[in-house]
Amino acid sequence: MTARPPAPAPSPSPGPDRTTRPVRAARPARAARPVRLGPRSIAALVLVSAVGVVGFGWPLLAAPDSSLAHAQDAPWLFAALLPLLIAVVMATVSDTGLDAKAVAMLGVLTAAGAALRPLGAGTAGLEPMFFLMVLSGRVLGPGFGFVLGSLSMFASALLTGGVGPWLPFQMLTMGWVTMGAGLLPRPETLRGRGELLLLAAYGAVTGVAYGFIMNMSGWPYELDPSSNAAFQPGAPLHENLARFGAYWVVRSAGWDLSRAVFTAVLTLALGRPVLLALRRATRRTAFGAPVTFTPGGSEDRGRM
């Protein structure tokens, strides 16, 4: 008998490669959420805003021949403002657990805002700083935004030599502008063109409101009482409002309207990429992410 040739080995049937690991489903991208306001943050913001309202409005109750003026009360207001800003930061950290990355982000945006202000200051109210403050407040939230606006104005004053009795009032007003952007409605769902239009409208309104409020700080002292635009103690409210309106038109209406238009145009032209960059940085900073601790130990280290 002849020996049969050995049967050929069966070819491996196609099947799943056991050496490859199953591919995990990609995790959904984490939405960029603004820094939420906790009870401590709200209390600190209410307190600092109340101090600001008193700082702007108390001279309206003083006698016209009083020697008190903002040149004398500004250092006291500044001394009260700085610890209140620190209190806002500490309250926000306590409520949300912000870490060193958030503080670093605050420093970077403050430096950017301070660098942008000299590019337009002194040129018909064209101030690109407002554009960045509005968008930052929208993305980062009201508490973070208030601190950012105030510190940016302070840093820009140091950079340009614009330190004077007007500085604490500028810090407060810019803080309100940035905080208001964080309080705009529907931060999670309103995106695209609708959001840009909303921010452009807000930037235009606050561009005028900033100059309007800042003029209030000097109006009771800068004009001869016999002027038709001067403040008159004891006069009816509507009369003083009419006088202040005339003062604002002559003093800074052109600058404020230019600032409003410039801020709106920049928002519509550059708002989308800036918002995307801010939200990407916010996601990486993980504002509002819960802190969890997993059991570690020698077993996990031994498997490495």
Side-chain angles (χ1 to χ4, degrees), residues 122-143:
T123 308
L126 305 181
E127 300 182 51
M129 177 185 184
F130 279 76
F131 154 74
L132 179 62
M133 294 297 103
V134 169
L135 298 184
S136 299
R138 171 67 170 177
V139 174
L140 301 173

Side-chain angles (χ1 to χ4, degrees), residues 118-280:
L119 299 180
T123 308
L126 305 181
E127 300 182 51
M129 177 185 184
F130 279 76
F131 154 74
L132 179 62
M133 294 297 103
V134 169
L135 298 184
S136 299
R138 171 67 170 177
V139 174
L140 301 173
F144 198 100
F146 184 89
V147 177
L148 172 62
S150 300
L151 292 182
S152 298
M153 189 61 70
F154 176 70
S156 67
L158 296 180
L159 183 64
T160 60
V163 178
W166 53 84
L167 178 58
F169 301 97
Q170 289 178 331
M171 293 173 62
L172 281 167
T173 309
M174 182 59 73
W176 287 333
V177 169
T178 316
M179 179 179 67
L183 295 173
L184 291 176
R186 302 176 63 188
E188 294 85 7
T189 59
L190 185 61
R191 292 288 189 270
R193 177 62 60 177
E195 183 180 32
L196 290 181
L197 291 175
L198 175 65
L199 293 176
Y202 178 81
V205 171
T206 53
V208 174
Y210 175 84
F212 197 83
I213 296 174
M214 282 302 302
N215 281 327
M216 183 66 72
S217 65
W219 175 49
Y221 308 105
E222 293 183 358
L223 296 180
D224 185 357
S226 61
S227 171
N228 292 331
F231 171 71
Q232 295 297 325
L237 179 61
H238 68 274
E239 180 180 338
N240 272 327
L241 288 178
R243 288 173 175 269
F244 179 70
Y247 172 80
W248 173 75
V249 169
V250 175
R251 173 70 180 238
S252 67
W255 285 69
D256 298 340
L257 292 175
S258 298
R259 183 191 301 116
V261 173
F262 186 65
T263 303
V265 170
L266 276 183
T267 302
L268 293 175
L270 303 176
R272 180 176 176 80
V274 174
L275 286 173
L276 289 176
L278 288 173
R279 283 177 173 139
R280 186 181 302 112

Side-chain angles (χ1 to χ4, degrees), residues 66-160:
S66 175
S67 60
L68 297 176
H70 282 314
Q72 283 75 39
D73 66 19
W76 298 101
L77 179 61
F78 185 74
L81 179 59
L82 287 184
L84 287 175
L85 286 177
I86 297 175
V88 173
V89 175
M90 297 301 296
T92 305
V93 171
S94 176
D95 287 336
T96 60
L98 298 181
D99 56 6
K101 295 183 293 182
V103 177
M105 187 173 182
L106 175 64
V108 170
L109 290 176
T110 298
L116 282 177
R117 191 183 179 204
L119 299 180
T123 308
L126 305 181
E127 300 182 51
M129 177 185 184
F130 279 76
F131 154 74
L132 179 62
M133 294 297 103
V134 169
L135 298 184
S136 299
R138 171 67 170 177
V139 174
L140 301 173
F144 198 100
F146 184 89
V147 177
L148 172 62
S150 300
L151 292 182
S152 298
M153 189 61 70
F154 176 70
S156 67
L158 296 180
L159 183 64
T160 60

